[in-house]
Amino acid sequence: MELTGEPIRVQSIIQSGLSQVPPEYIQPPQNRPINTDPTATIPAIDLFNFNTNHRNSTLESISHACRGWGAFHVTNHGIPPSLLDAVRNSGLTFFNNCPMSEKLKYSCTAGTAASEGYGSRMLVSSNDHEVLDWRDYFDHHTFPLSRRNPINWPDFTSDYREIMVNYSDEMKILAQKLLALISESLGLQSSCIEDAVGDIYQNITVSYYPPCPQPDLTLGLQSHSDFGAVTLLIQDDVGGLQVLKDGDGGDKWVTVKPLSDAILVLLGDQTEIITNGKYRSCVHRAVTNPDRARLSVATFHDPAKTVKIFPVSELINDSSPAKYRGVVYGDYVSSWYTKGPDGKRNIDALLLES
Ligand SMILES: O=C(O)CCC(=O)C(=O)O
Ligand SMILES: [Fe+2]
């Protein structure tokens, strides 16, 4: 999602045989991947295929995970493991086997935020101190259907587009079911959060993190929270995703250990606003390693750019006044692209005085 300049793919840097990362990928000391807590594990919630007999205990687990982490794994979610594998394999085959000259034909448009296609760098700015991510990605526009045009996606493997379409459909249904459970876990009508979001805009980003010769100095993806409603993420067995967890001894980074066939649910900033801060969006980042390329697939579910998001009235009262001012989603996204997260959660700009 780089907005300016000639794109450089991280994979081509590594293919050139460099033993040190170029200076623009070196993080300042305070952002380097230290301060990890090896003992903590993010919650895993068994959805029992949405069997209503388990609903109450599931709601309780969701409430707990959303308050404490803003992230949790789900198992028995109803998506066939073969589809998760097919998506991972299709992504890996594209990044590993498709020649760079072919991949570049899909380059996303420079100068346009979140444009569809093959790219690198998470964000931009006019800020000279910007540090780049050790990551390449492919972004797919998938919902509403008017945005979905599989002709823009790779066809390096003959079933790539079909698999992505299938995955997109399944993820949207799962996201809707999860938003219903998340609403109910707050005592709200099951449609509450989805009603606030409106028509779901879905993007699927396949991220590829090449091996990095200096993982202690770099980040695959800098610290951020996703700005939409909910992200569903799968990764391969390499590992490298970390979530920020608060605790008595201060904030610590916790590695999300790959859990076979599970899907990671990450709450985004709009869910934090809608729930008036009862549930927090999850701050996360990706670290690199020197040995193996890593792949993840993040499916974002967001409001339309024109929708105004604000805390739902049911969660506002005298003892819990509105915490955030309303924001037009498109304005929220543009402010992020203009300023970048810059160590501060973007959402904090919306905090009302209490
Ligand atoms: O690669 C990962 O695990 C994280 C990806 C991510 O956070 C994103 O694309 O927003
Ligand atoms: Fe993210």
Side-chain angles (χ1 to χ4, degrees):
M1 301 181 202
E2 161 67 356
L3 300 188
T4 50
E6 197 47 37
I8 296 170
R9 302 294 170 245
V10 176
Q11 196 175 12
S12 47
I13 300 178
I14 202 73
Q15 282 166 350
S16 70
L18 232 67
S19 60
Q20 293 199 321
V21 303
E24 56 275 28
Y25 293 88
I26 297 185
Q27 295 287 341
Q30 70 275 18
N31 291 350
R32 290 181 192 163
I34 48 164
N35 194 22
T36 353
D37 178 352
T39 59
T41 315
I42 77 151
I45 301 179
D46 190 334
L47 294 178
F48 295 102
N49 290 304
F50 298 91
N51 180 326
T52 45
N53 292 339
H54 294 273
R55 202 154 179 101
N56 287 345
S57 66
T58 305
L59 292 179
E60 218 165 280
S61 309
I62 288 181
S63 163
H64 199 250
C66 290
R67 283 174 215 274
W69 294 79
F72 53 95
H73 270 132
V74 289
T75 58
N76 292 315
H77 39 62
I79 313 292
S82 57
L83 180 58
L84 307 183
D85 286 340
V87 169
R88 283 185 281 246
N89 288 337
S90 304
L92 263 186
T93 307
F94 172 72
F95 283 100
N96 281 339
N97 300 354
C98 182
M100 183 56 78
S101 55
E102 274 298 303
K103 286 203 281 258
L104 287 171
K105 290 185 185 156
Y106 295 100
S107 287
C108 48
T109 321
T112 313
S115 91
E116 189 167 41
Y118 179 51
S120 334
R121 305 188 193 198
M122 190 175 81
L123 64 100
V124 182
S125 70
S126 40
N127 181 349
D128 289 334
H129 307 300
E130 191 74 42
V131 180
L132 299 183
D133 298 317
W134 195 259
R135 173 182 88 132
D136 297 331
Y137 62 82
F138 200 107
D139 193 21
H140 311 70
H141 291 179
T142 43
F143 272 109
L145 289 178
S146 55
R147 295 171 71 238
R148 187 194 278 175
N149 196 356
I151 204 115
N152 297 333
W153 309 343
D155 62 351
F156 186 67
T157 42
S158 60
D159 51 1
Y160 185 104
R161 293 171 181 171
E162 189 186 325
I163 289 169
M164 276 300 164
V165 162
N166 203 346
Y167 188 67
S168 155
D169 291 343
E170 294 277 0
M171 286 299 111
K172 183 178 173 194
I173 294 168
L174 179 60
Q176 288 172 311
K177 287 181 181 171
L178 285 163
L179 287 177
L181 288 176
I182 292 168
S183 301
E184 279 184 52
S185 74
L186 280 165
L188 302 167
Q189 292 282 330
S190 58
S191 65
C192 186
I193 298 179
E194 199 182 335
D195 288 346
V197 169
D199 204 11
I200 288 181
Y201 277 60
Q202 186 199 60
N203 294 303
I204 301 181
T205 302
V206 180
S207 293
Y208 180 83
Y209 303 89
C212 178
Q214 292 177 295
D216 298 344
L217 303 181
T218 49
L219 284 174
L221 183 56
Q222 66 184 288
S223 163
H224 67 284
S225 52
D226 295 341
F227 31 69
V230 70
T231 305
L232 301 179
L233 186 138
I234 58 173
Q235 54 176 332
D236 62 15
D237 63 341
V238 176
L241 175 63
Q242 298 185 334
V243 300
L244 192 63
K245 174 78 178 102
D246 54 3
D248 293 341
D251 291 351
K252 286 264 166 56
W253 288 100
V254 174
T255 300
V256 179
K257 293 186 197 79
L259 185 59
S260 180
D261 301 339
I263 296 173
L264 181 73
V265 182
L266 291 162
L267 300 190
D269 294 343
Q270 305 316 303
T271 296
E272 177 166 335
I273 298 171
I274 293 166
T275 65
N276 199 27
K278 297 271 181 295
Y279 289 170
R280 306 267 291 176
S281 59
C282 174
V283 175
H284 54 283
R285 69 181 184 186
V287 301
T288 61
N289 79 80
D291 305 315
R292 287 179 68 195
R294 168 174 180 261
L295 185 106
S296 75
V297 183
T299 308
F300 304 96
H301 300 88
D302 305 339
K305 294 274 168 66
T306 49
V307 168
K308 187 159 185 186
I309 298 292
F310 39 80
V312 291
S313 56
E314 293 90 326
L315 297 176
I316 299 174
N317 53 46
D318 288 346
S319 58
S320 167
K323 212 172 148 193
Y324 303 103
R325 65 179 167 81
V327 65
V328 175
Y329 182 62
D331 294 343
Y332 189 80
V333 175
S334 344
S335 75
W336 193 88
Y337 278 105
T338 319
K339 288 195 280 99
D342 203 20
K344 177 177 175 289
R345 293 185 344 130
N346 206 31
I347 196 174
D348 291 344
L350 304 176
L351 278 172
L352 293 168
E353 300 288 324
S354 55

